[in-house]
Amino acid sequence: MPIIEVKDLSKVFGKNKKQALKLVEQGKSKEDILKETGSTVGVNRATFSVEQGEIFVIMGLSGSGKSTLVRLINRLIEPTTGNIYIDGEDLSKMDKNALRSVRREKLSMVFQKFGLFPHRTILENAAFGLEIQKVSKEEREKKAKEALEMVGLGGYIHQKPGQLSGGMQQRVGLARALTNDPKVLLMDEAFSALDPLIRKEMQDELIDLQSSMQKTILFITHDLDEALRLGDRIALMKDGSIVQIGTPEEILVNPANDYVEKFVEDIDRSKVLTAQHIMKRPETINIDKHGPRVALERMKEAGISSIFVVDNSRNLKGYITADDASDARKKEVKDLKEIIKTDIPTVEKETALHDIFSIIHDTPIPVAVVDDGKLKGIIVRGSVIAALAGDGEVNLEHA
Amino acid sequence: MLNNLLDFVPEIPVADGIDWLTDEITDMLSFVFDPIKEHFGNFMEFVAEDVLMVIPPVIFILIVALIAFFVSGKKFGLAAFSIVGLWFIYNQGHWDNLMNTVTLVILASLLSVIIGVPLGILMSKSKTANAIITPILDFMQTMPAFVYLIPAVAFFGIGMVPGVFASLIFATPPTVRFTNLGIRQVSNELVEAADAFGTTGAQKLFKVELPMAKSTIMAGINQTVMLALSMVVIASMIGAKGLGREVLSSLQRAEAGTGFVAGFGIVILAIIIDRITQNMNKSKA
């Protein structure tokens, strides 16, 4: 069962809500609805679900409705229609008391400008969530200290937020959210106010923390690089609607429409695409069955000057060149083992394109993609360049 | 010819109506007003004559100087001014008047704060309350202060009690306005943070909004105290004792000197109270 499930969630700001909603259902655009009714559609029939332990990124430019969407999920903004299920319970139908206990126990939020209380110390800030649940001072401070330790702020607990740098303040924001031990973390542009170096550091730390805590995280950002780094899956928003949901690769490689395509146009594809996206099916010969003659024929057929050699269970053994094979045939050598070369450049399936450049630069033969010693595919220069240009054949069936 | 257009309705008896209303209220609510007049009047007399005047002036001056010293961050300026200023009032033979004035100002301010802060909170939370109370506050602040004296006398007779009543009307608005403003100014993200962690309304108010609005509210209270002090002379016209009465009587007798001395006493008191309340705000913020 998904931890967060959102169904047909819409938010209309303005007066003619009913009329605007009708137009929303008819699938009219945000602009048309504004013209016809004077109402603004903040979120337009958003539907998605997030699984336990997943980092789900909602990404869009300012005005796309992403911040509204995250606030609909803990009802800081009341939805106009639609349902929000947290852990199977429908939040949208809850009364105030039930909503309050869900906010206390299951949802925590981290804010763009940190949202720390300036009149409270770091420790008191981190303990806030438990304080309002009337947890004893001793207990809540113990938990708050643990959370602060976790984000690397053990030594600053008696300072006020104003005395800390932006990055440290957001660590406090994160610690405050973690003290409650919630199921879900809602992070609204949590790192956007930080400078680029600190931002990257925080992203890395979040990934580290996540690997040990396994929370369900809903992360809002306008930064595609951030989305690609953090997201297990990404939802792209435009004008209040979700235009595509997918893994980072799916979004990059297979944009759902022109908008998404334009969005991902500028991204550094070499950091996102990996060997498995650009590898081709290799021509091979079997060291246990074939000799130089078959090798030469296959190379001629495929128009290549070298061929990879594998054994019966496709373990990569090496390669032979056309010249060697032809010499061998003239000298009537039968066994491939005598002419095989083993200095093969190899990469893993998950190796980023970025790291393949230097390897492929130094080698005259294709790079072999191996998984556990088995040959999975080959990469030639042409496919690297094509992938970077964004129009190469990219295979998603491996992704 | 054209004037006839304006005259087509005879004079509306607004003044008579208000006279009637005041009489009715006085009659109907005399069971409320009379005990207030009696008990609160006695209480004020007790504070002025049996508490403040019993304290030896030296001790009183020292206490004020000590408070001044500590709230101004252990600096001597304000403390020294308090000692010299209060000694001057004592020297001029106005000590008892000063004590009466202090009683009036402090009680009126205290009541203003007790009424004003909750009203301000109400306004910040409710659009309706805001829409209703705002014009009333405008009315209270722009109506000439003398006008309040008339119903005050009707309700409470003459003396200190109607003086407090008139001060209350005149001095409460800043506390209400600044409390409202202070709470509304709390940044949206902090309010969201409080909500997101599941605060109740009261928790949000006491743990986030009021602490954040404190310095704004204190600025409002400072204004309230100053306005209450400025009502001292006006309140003396309906029999409130104190420095104001000296100013009024020297006006009636055309004694410039006595008038100046009493007026200067009010100025000294104003400066001391103003600086102390302002510094309380700074040192805590």
Side-chain angles (χ1 to χ4, degrees):
Chain A
M1 189 179 62
I3 298 291
I4 308 175
E5 197 174 1
V6 170
K7 271 190 189 156
D8 274 329
L9 193 62
S10 294
K11 175 66 190 180
V12 177
F13 296 103
K15 280 181 182 165
N16 300 317
K17 286 203 177 75
K18 275 192 184 163
Q19 202 192 339
L21 267 182
K22 247 183 216 165
L23 296 177
V24 165
E25 271 154 33
Q26 287 168 20
K28 294 236 175 167
S29 76
K30 181 176 175 170
E31 208 173 314
D32 289 344
I33 296 173
L34 179 63
K35 248 183 225 164
E36 266 185 62
T37 64
S39 297
T40 310
V41 181
V43 172
N44 188 342
R45 287 175 304 165
T47 299
F48 62 89
S49 57
V50 186
E51 301 292 332
Q52 160 64 33
E54 196 178 16
I55 301 186
F56 189 84
V57 176
I58 296 173
M59 126 113 226
L61 299 177
S62 59
S64 61
K66 56 191 191 303
S67 284
T68 307
L69 179 54
V70 72
R71 282 167 174 71
L72 291 176
I73 287 169
N74 63 0
R75 278 179 60 189
L76 284 179
I77 297 176
E78 286 294 327
T80 312
T81 59
N83 305 84
I84 309 138
Y85 300 92
I86 303 290
D87 234 0
E89 290 180 286
D90 190 351
L91 209 70
S92 52
K93 298 209 164 49
M94 281 183 183
D95 64 16
K96 273 189 177 175
N97 287 325
L99 173 65
R100 193 176 298 138
S101 56
V102 170
R103 283 174 174 176
R104 287 179 174 188
E105 285 149 26
K106 293 189 177 160
L107 300 169
S108 275
M109 194 159 174
V110 182
F111 293 85
Q112 178 170 12
K113 292 182 190 116
F114 323 135
L116 300 178
F117 305 117
H119 59 287
R120 295 169 152 254
T121 64
I122 301 307
L123 185 62
E124 287 166 344
N125 263 290
F128 183 77
L130 293 178
E131 181 184 329
I132 58 177
Q133 293 176 41
K134 306 215 166 81
V135 173
S136 77
K137 189 168 171 158
E138 203 176 310
E139 168 98 20
R140 71 184 187 234
E141 294 200 337
K142 188 177 142 248
K143 293 224 166 117
K145 274 179 195 162
E146 284 168 11
L148 285 166
E149 293 280 348
M150 219 156 50
V151 299
L153 270 183
Y156 297 89
I157 55 175
H158 296 301
Q159 304 217 20
K160 294 272 174 76
Q163 294 166 280
L164 268 54
S165 69
M168 285 162 118
Q169 289 193 34
Q170 194 56 300
R171 285 166 201 259
V172 182
L174 191 57
R176 179 176 66 178
L178 292 175
T179 306
N180 285 20
D181 194 25
K183 288 212 153 159
V184 177
L185 273 180
L186 304 172
M187 304 186 71
D188 179 27
E189 300 245 16
F191 304 148
S192 298
L194 306 175
D195 60 57
L197 280 178
I198 307 284
R199 191 186 310 166
K200 187 154 176 299
E201 199 181 302
M202 293 292 284
Q203 290 165 357
D204 290 340
E205 276 204 34
L206 183 66
I207 294 171
D208 278 357
L209 275 173
Q210 171 66 356
S211 62
S212 59
M213 341 179 268
Q214 289 297 311
K215 301 278 180 203
T216 304
I217 299 178
L218 195 70
F219 195 100
I220 309 296
T221 183
H222 64 261
D223 177 355
L224 186 58
D225 280 317
E226 187 167 71
L228 295 171
R229 276 175 68 86
L230 294 177
D232 292 320
R233 283 188 303 145
I234 299 171
L236 254 144
M237 282 189 85
K238 187 201 177 206
D239 292 344
S241 308
I242 294 180
V243 287
Q244 185 172 10
I245 299 181
T247 62
E249 289 89 347
E250 279 166 359
I251 288 200
L252 265 187
V253 169
N254 211 350
N257 59 26
D258 289 354
Y259 176 76
V260 183
E261 199 169 319
K262 227 173 162 190
F263 220 114
V264 299
E265 205 172 60
D266 294 332
I267 196 68
D268 186 351
R269 300 167 70 91
S270 71
K271 285 184 184 153
V272 182
L273 293 177
T274 58
Q276 61 185 328
H277 295 122
I278 56 167
M279 66 191 186
K280 288 183 169 170
R281 218 174 60 78
E283 292 292 331
T284 56
I285 53 165
N286 191 322
I287 196 166
D288 300 325
K289 290 183 193 159
H290 303 131
R293 177 191 295 270
V294 183
L296 210 54
E297 263 166 34
R298 288 213 176 153
M299 280 188 262
K300 202 185 266 175
E301 249 170 60
I304 50 181
S305 59
S306 61
I307 193 163
F308 285 101
V309 182
V310 295
D311 66 10
N312 277 332
S313 37
R314 281 192 81 77
N315 285 316
L316 181 60
K317 289 299 177 187
Y319 70 97
I320 53 179
T321 63
D323 291 347
D324 290 349
S326 132
D327 280 355
R329 207 177 60 164
K330 279 176 199 155
K331 293 175 191 163
E332 305 215 337
V333 175
K334 293 279 186 223
D335 199 342
L336 284 177
K337 278 170 191 147
E338 289 178 30
I339 54 167
I340 192 166
K341 288 183 173 161
T342 51
D343 56 334
I344 332 160
T346 60
V347 294
E348 300 284 314
K349 275 198 326 192
E350 290 79 19
T351 308
L353 203 50
H354 187 257
D355 299 322
I356 298 175
F357 293 152
S358 56
I359 300 172
I360 209 156
H361 180 261
D362 296 334
T363 170
I365 61 162
V367 173
V369 182
V370 293
D371 186 22
D372 214 10
K374 291 185 171 41
L375 181 65
K376 290 293 172 187
I378 58 166
I379 299 172
V380 297
R381 286 181 195 203
S383 40
V384 173
I385 293 163
L388 283 180
D391 55 15
E393 288 163 33
V394 178
N395 14 10
L396 265 184
E397 69 264 27
H398 299 288
Chain B
M1 194 36 205
L2 276 173
N3 277 342
N4 289 347
L5 271 176
L6 299 176
D7 288 335
F8 83 105
V9 174
E11 185 184 332
I12 304 166
V14 176
D16 291 343
I18 295 199
D19 280 348
W20 172 82
L21 191 68
T22 310
D23 288 347
E24 285 296 305
I25 292 175
T26 313
D27 280 354
M28 274 181 5
L29 294 183
S30 62
F31 73 95
V32 180
F33 293 144
D34 289 348
I36 292 178
K37 181 166 68 179
E38 198 183 318
H39 296 300
F40 193 63
N42 289 344
F43 173 69
M44 289 190 73
E45 227 162 76
F46 170 77
V47 171
E49 288 170 16
D50 296 330
V51 179
L52 292 180
M53 287 182 209
V54 172
I55 302 172
V58 183
I59 305 285
F60 189 92
I61 292 173
L62 279 180
I63 291 173
V64 173
L66 271 178
I67 294 173
F69 178 69
F70 282 110
V71 298
S72 61
K74 302 193 177 172
K75 285 185 190 130
F76 288 101
L78 184 56
F81 177 83
S82 305
I83 292 173
V84 175
L86 292 176
W87 169 81
F88 173 76
I89 297 174
Y90 174 81
N91 174 266
Q92 297 296 308
H94 282 312
W95 190 258
D96 285 2
N97 287 329
L98 178 69
M99 290 302 109
N100 276 317
T101 299
V102 167
T103 308
L104 181 72
V105 169
I106 287 180
L107 286 177
S109 306
L110 215 58
L111 285 173
S112 289
V113 171
I114 290 169
I115 295 168
V117 171
L119 266 182
I121 293 170
L122 181 67
M123 278 175 80
S124 71
K125 296 286 171 192
S126 148
K127 272 187 191 167
T128 323
N130 194 26
I132 295 170
I133 296 174
T134 305
I136 297 178
L137 293 180
D138 295 339
F139 184 90
M140 284 161 74
Q141 283 187 297
T142 44
M143 180 64 85
F146 292 100
V147 178
Y148 300 131
L149 298 182
I150 310 162
V153 170
F155 297 157
F156 299 109
I158 58 168
M160 293 284 253
V161 181
V164 170
F165 176 79
S167 295
L168 203 61
I169 293 175
F170 190 62
T172 307
T175 296
V176 182
R177 283 186 204 276
F178 278 68
T179 303
N180 180 21
L181 178 74
I183 292 178
R184 282 174 189 269
Q185 272 178 343
V186 175
S187 93
N188 195 29
E189 206 172 52
L190 292 186
V191 176
E192 277 189 336
D195 283 336
F197 281 95
T199 51
T200 61
Q203 284 174 331
K204 183 164 67 168
L205 183 67
F206 287 107
K207 289 183 190 289
V208 178
E209 288 172 323
L210 284 182
M212 295 298 300
K214 194 170 73 185
S215 62
T216 310
I217 295 174
M218 285 302 292
I221 291 175
N222 171 270
Q223 289 298 299
T224 288
V225 177
M226 290 294 104
L227 286 183
L229 193 59
S230 75
M231 275 298 280
V232 161
V233 178
I234 297 171
S236 68
M237 295 172 73
I238 49 174
K241 292 182 227 167
L243 291 167
R245 184 186 274 184
E246 292 304 310
V247 174
L248 193 67
S249 66
S250 45
L251 174 68
Q252 285 154 353
R253 291 183 225 139
E255 293 170 351
T258 331
F260 181 81
V261 169
F264 196 56
I266 293 176
V267 173
I268 291 169
L269 183 61
I271 293 175
I272 294 173
I273 293 180
D274 179 57
R275 298 298 186 274
I276 286 180
T277 49
Q278 269 188 24
N279 276 310
M280 274 161 80
N281 193 8
K282 267 185 227 154
S283 58
K284 280 181 190 165

